Amino acid sequence: MRRREFITLLGSVAAAGAWPLAARAQHSVKRPLIAVMSLVARERNLNMLDAFAQGMQQLDFIEGRDFELALRSANGRLDRLPSLAQEVVDLRPDVILATATPAVIPLTGLTKTVPIVCPLLADPVHLGLIASMSHPGGNVTGVLFRTEGLVGKQLELAFQLVPGARRIGFLVNVAGPWSSTGKNWNVRIGVLASS
């Protein structure tokens, strides 16, 4: 078969619709990108990542098929958070999952449009991450693990559970800039203990 005959045959086969559909209609579909910004190494996040994958699967979303996942980790070095936040934003994700409040802080200075979700959000009003609890505005959302006024209720419950208790202890890291939790605890504890 000569070259002209081959090209004619190839053209007639394609024109007749016998060419495989996959070869004629290939197009790439961009899957949504979820960027995860973590404070700790991937190994320390395996439980959280597994739970996230399971939750997505329950909603019939499968990584690689329905969305892409990009994990970036500070590996316990908080000084890396600003550069890591820039790297995450440069990925142009559709949503950012920040594993804790310290990861959210540098992200909010870099994007006002990409949704930032944080499952361990602390004191977002005080930190300027949201405008108010009733009208948060902006692009930050998440789950508060501590609510203003809840400490007093927790102490009341502790005194009810252990009547006559003279000491009740809490372990809290109040040194971080993201926590204002312990500021008025001594006053609250004193009031509750005397009642």
Side-chain angles (χ1 to χ4, degrees), residues 40 60 105 140 144 163:
V40 298
D60 198 31
I105 295 168
V140 175
L144 291 173

Side-chain angles (χ1 to χ4, degrees), residues 151 155 168 181-193:
V151 173
L155 285 171
I168 294 178
T181 303
K183 289 183 178 175
N184 295 315
W185 280 27
N186 289 337
V187 172
R188 291 178 186 152
I189 291 169
V191 169
L192 286 169

Side-chain angles (χ1 to χ4, degrees), residues 91-120:
L91 292 172
R92 300 181 55 148
D94 295 284
V95 65
I96 300 170
L97 171 60
T99 60
T101 304
V104 176
I105 295 168
L107 287 166
T108 57
L110 298 172
T111 181
K112 300 292 183 203
T113 57
V114 178
I116 301 168
V117 180
C118 181
L120 292 173

